[in-house]
């Protein structure tokens, strides 16, 4: 599982911490609706372009905004990541 790192590595073979892949971080207790609203305001990225992996089903509420939600009760590995991307792509087939 990826937990805090990604198994894809640069030339040196060292794992890259997942946090390095994000420009905006909204990590604190509270509604994920608030988190995604703040990310949207800071970046201008449309909700429909966002993909959210989370281990708590209650956070699926972000789909109300148009965010693609992927439940991951055991964390994210490459297979789960690909499934999340496939779900996001399916929502964008007509574009």
């Amino acid at each position: 599982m990826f937990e805090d790192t990604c198994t894809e590595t640069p030339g040196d073979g060292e794992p890259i911490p997942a946090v390095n892949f994000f420009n905006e971080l909204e990590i604190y207790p509270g509604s994920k609706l608030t988190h995604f609203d703040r990310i949207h305001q800071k970046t201008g990225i449309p909700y429909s372009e966002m993909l959210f992996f989370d281990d708590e089903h209650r956070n699926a509420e972000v789909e109300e905004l148009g965010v693609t939600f992927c439940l991951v009760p055991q964390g994210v590995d490459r297979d789960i990541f690909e499934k999340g991307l496939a779900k996001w792509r399916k929502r964008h087939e007509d574009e």
Side-chain angles (χ1 to χ4, degrees), residues 1-94:
M1 291 206 275
F2 285 108
E3 298 292 335
D4 292 326
T5 62
C6 176
T7 59
E8 298 298 321
T9 58
D12 65 6
E14 290 297 314
I16 303 168
V19 72
N20 290 355
F21 292 95
F22 302 94
N23 294 327
E24 298 296 332
L25 299 176
E26 292 288 328
I27 304 171
Y28 48 85
S31 171
K32 300 304 182 225
L33 294 173
T34 302
H35 294 133
F36 278 89
D37 184 53
R38 288 184 180 161
I39 291 169
H40 172 68
Q41 288 177 18
K42 288 178 183 179
T43 66
I45 297 170
Y47 296 116
S48 63
E49 295 296 313
M50 298 180 189
L51 171 57
F52 180 45
F53 295 90
D54 196 78
D55 63 348
E56 295 184 36
H57 190 270
R58 67 186 174 96
N59 293 325
E61 67 184 359
V62 299
E63 291 208 328
E64 296 171 19
L65 300 172
V67 175
T68 301
F69 176 80
C70 187
L71 182 64
V72 292
Q74 301 299 316
V76 179
D77 59 18
R78 186 173 191 97
D79 185 51
I80 296 293
F81 183 74
E82 292 294 333
K83 287 179 182 177
L85 287 177
K87 183 177 179 181
W88 181 90
R89 287 182 186 119
K90 186 169 180 77
R91 292 179 74 175
H92 291 82
E93 284 179 341
D94 297 331

